[in-house]
Amino acid sequence: MSQAISDQKNKIAVLLMAHGGPDALDDIEPFLGHIMKGRVPSPEIVAIVKDRYRQIGGKSPLLTITRQQAEALEAELNHKTDAFRVYVGMRHWTPYIKDTLSSILDANPSCLVAISMAPQYSRLSVGAYIEAAKVGLYDLGGAVPVSFVRDWHTQPLLLDAFAKKLKKRLLEYSEAVREKVQVVFTAHSLPESIVAEGDSYPTHLQETMSGIVKRLGALLAPENIQFAYQSRGMGGGKWLGPDMEDVIKGATAPAHILMVPIGFISDHVEILYDIDILYKEMAKERGIELTRIESLNDSPLFISALAAVVHAHLPV
């Protein structure tokens, strides 16, 4: 997908902002250093993270997937026009948000819609992406009208996309097993201190989960549904719970756990390692079958959800 825009000031720029991930094992240390705001990660942490990426192929697939989403979104938005150009910017790795904003400003668009690829708002996630974009625009002297999407966790097509993936996976079980499957909705854990700050993250996650559950109807029994946080950081202090590892340890064999990671819309290390390797192995050791729904990635219904978000946030 070409990211060039003509000089005519009639184009609408869309910026998809994601976390970013290393392109090779040698990128792990500087990648972690950027996350840690310039502090040098310990050799132990570097080794742990490097081993995780080694087990999922030696790199993060996030940039490739986000570019695929951008290409599909641009095609969807331009179905009856040629007004939109979609860009990708990463917070913690290349292409950095500021560098992408420089390309956007050079193209002289009429306006910009910036979307974080995390539907539920938290000051520590979406808020940080928005702040990075604001700082980048300020540093670059950008005067383009901007609409920042704060959250889109209850966008109907997004909920439909998650529900479709969940229904497909549930119907793969025999009816006898399906009635007993424990469906665990998950999202990335954050420090517990955000609750005292009034952060909307936990509420948004519950609202996303409720919207999906409603769409499944009788296929999901209330007693078979729960929520847990996954992929807590390596830092100290208290993190949001319940933790997914505790859910696994509390399950009684034989049991079936189906994870629905609603805080993530793409395959990356928290999906491909934390769920597909770490949690699955923990469960297997306890005689429990653990699996997950497919990630949304660039599935058509999800791309339609993104397009709806863009149209709903075009600057007036």
Side-chain angles (χ1 to χ4, degrees), residues 141-205:
V144 62
V146 185
S147 178
F148 292 105
V149 180
R150 187 179 184 275
D151 61 77
W152 46 291
H153 63 292
T154 57
Q155 207 292 320
L157 292 175
L158 172 70
L159 300 179
D160 289 345
F162 273 124
K164 182 178 181 180
K165 296 289 188 183
L166 176 53
K167 182 177 181 179
K168 177 180 182 293
R169 186 65 188 89
L170 282 171
L171 292 178
E172 292 173 359
Y173 293 101
S174 67
E175 186 174 352
V177 172
R178 186 165 63 241
E179 294 175 349
K180 301 176 183 178
V181 171
Q182 292 297 307
V183 177
V184 186
F185 293 84
T186 66
H188 203 300
S189 187
L190 293 175
E192 195 177 80
S193 59
I194 69 167
V195 176
E197 299 170 0
D199 197 288
S200 58
Y201 186 62
T203 300
H204 283 188
L205 289 168

Side-chain angles (χ1 to χ4, degrees), residues 222-254:
E223 63 271 18
N224 292 344
I225 302 167
Q226 56 184 311
F227 180 86
Y229 289 95
Q230 66 167 89
S231 310
R232 60 167 293 167
M234 297 181 184
K238 293 184 178 181
W239 289 70
L240 294 172
D243 187 83
M244 187 62 208
E245 292 191 19
D246 293 331
V247 171
I248 295 171
K249 293 174 183 177
T252 304

Side-chain angles (χ1 to χ4, degrees), residues 2-314:
S2 173
Q3 293 201 350
I5 303 179
S6 70
D7 289 335
Q8 295 180 348
K9 198 173 175 66
N10 61 351
K11 301 293 184 178
I12 300 169
V14 178
L15 172 61
L16 303 184
M17 301 182 292
H19 185 272
D23 299 315
L25 293 178
D26 288 343
D27 295 333
I28 298 293
E29 186 168 351
F31 169 66
L32 291 174
H34 193 276
I35 293 174
M36 298 169 64
K37 299 180 179 180
R39 300 193 305 275
V40 178
S42 70
E44 292 78 14
I45 290 179
V46 172
I48 290 171
V49 176
K50 187 173 288 189
D51 182 62
R52 292 177 181 178
Y53 278 98
R54 183 180 292 111
Q55 292 188 61
I56 67 168
K59 59 178 289 187
S60 171
L62 185 59
L63 178 57
T64 296
I65 293 171
T66 310
R67 282 176 167 162
Q68 291 169 347
Q69 291 167 332
E71 183 174 359
L73 176 59
E74 182 171 297
E76 175 84 3
L77 291 169
N78 287 327
H79 180 62
K80 295 182 179 181
T81 181
D82 188 34
F84 294 88
R85 293 296 180 267
V86 183
Y87 298 75
V88 170
M90 299 291 176
R91 183 179 171 213
H92 290 300
W93 200 243
T94 57
Y96 290 107
I97 290 172
K98 182 177 179 179
D99 294 337
T100 300
L101 285 170
S102 179
S103 297
I104 291 174
L105 293 175
D106 286 345
N108 196 31
S110 60
C111 62
L112 167 65
V113 178
I115 307 173
S116 169
M117 300 303 276
Q120 302 87 9
Y121 179 85
S122 171
R123 175 183 61 82
L124 298 181
S125 57
V126 178
Y129 294 127
I130 292 175
E131 182 63 21
K134 287 182 176 179
V135 170
L137 286 170
Y138 178 83
D139 290 345
L140 294 166
V144 62
V146 185
S147 178
F148 292 105
V149 180
R150 187 179 184 275
D151 61 77
W152 46 291
H153 63 292
T154 57
Q155 207 292 320
L157 292 175
L158 172 70
L159 300 179
D160 289 345
F162 273 124
K164 182 178 181 180
K165 296 289 188 183
L166 176 53
K167 182 177 181 179
K168 177 180 182 293
R169 186 65 188 89
L170 282 171
L171 292 178
E172 292 173 359
Y173 293 101
S174 67
E175 186 174 352
V177 172
R178 186 165 63 241
E179 294 175 349
K180 301 176 183 178
V181 171
Q182 292 297 307
V183 177
V184 186
F185 293 84
T186 66
H188 203 300
S189 187
L190 293 175
E192 195 177 80
S193 59
I194 69 167
V195 176
E197 299 170 0
D199 197 288
S200 58
Y201 186 62
T203 300
H204 283 188
L205 289 168
Q206 291 297 319
E207 290 172 348
T208 301
M209 181 177 75
S210 296
I212 298 168
V213 169
K214 183 178 180 180
R215 282 161 168 75
L216 269 292
L219 200 59
L220 272 181
E223 63 271 18
N224 292 344
I225 302 167
Q226 56 184 311
F227 180 86
Y229 289 95
Q230 66 167 89
S231 310
R232 60 167 293 167
M234 297 181 184
K238 293 184 178 181
W239 289 70
L240 294 172
D243 187 83
M244 187 62 208
E245 292 191 19
D246 293 331
V247 171
I248 295 171
K249 293 174 183 177
T252 304
H256 300 268
I257 295 176
L258 174 57
M259 292 183 64
V260 186
I262 57 174
F264 308 98
I265 48 85
S266 302
D267 285 326
H268 46 61
V269 70
E270 283 85 357
I271 300 292
L272 302 177
Y273 175 79
D274 290 358
I275 297 179
D276 291 353
I277 296 175
L278 177 62
Y279 295 151
K280 187 170 287 188
E281 185 60 32
M282 286 180 59
K284 184 179 180 180
E285 291 173 355
R286 291 164 174 78
I288 298 165
E289 180 195 72
L290 184 146
T291 188
R292 64 172 172 91
I293 67 168
E294 295 176 341
S295 295
L296 299 181
N297 291 331
D298 62 346
S299 58
L301 193 52
F302 173 64
I303 297 303
S304 294
L306 277 178
V309 172
V310 172
H311 283 296
H313 289 83
L314 290 175

